[in-house]
Amino acid sequence: MYFRPNGVNEVVAFNASAATATAVSDSCFMVEIVASENCYISIEAAPTATAVNGMYIVKDWPYFVKVTPGEKIAAIKVTSAGNLYVSELTQ
């Protein structure tokens, strides 16, 4: 199955406190995530990213993640603050 950008993009600045993106749209079932610095992410209806429950994201590497409409993505830094780039994809 192939996906393409649907034009919805968000930049979330993360630091030592978890930062959360807005909920993905009703037509979104996949997102591309790229971080400018290593971080942990969590994807849920009300996420809180931590080193314990988060998925480790390596900086400058694209990740394609399945999501459910309405879910949000939270990020927290590993060592350095950075930006999380979230691009919604559609079929």
Side-chain angles (χ1 to χ4, degrees):
M1 186 169 292
Y2 296 96
F3 291 87
R4 62 179 183 199
N6 74 355
V8 178
N9 303 295
E10 186 172 0
V11 179
V12 180
F14 60 84
N15 204 329
S17 299
T20 305
T22 57
V24 297
S25 63
D26 291 340
S27 63
C28 181
F29 294 93
M30 180 80 65
V31 292
E32 179 187 24
I33 298 170
V34 180
S36 64
E37 295 295 334
N38 297 340
C39 65
Y40 294 100
I41 67 164
S42 178
I43 303 171
E44 299 177 52
T48 301
T50 68
V52 174
N53 74 349
M55 174 181 165
Y56 183 76
I57 299 291
V58 177
K59 75 175 188 170
D60 299 330
W61 192 265
Y63 290 83
F64 295 88
V65 182
K66 185 176 190 267
V67 294
T68 300
E71 286 186 317
K72 299 176 183 178
I73 302 165
I76 192 168
K77 74 175 188 172
V78 173
T79 56
S80 300
N83 289 318
L84 187 72
Y85 301 91
V86 180
S87 297
E88 292 188 10
L89 305 173
T90 188
Q91 295 180 348

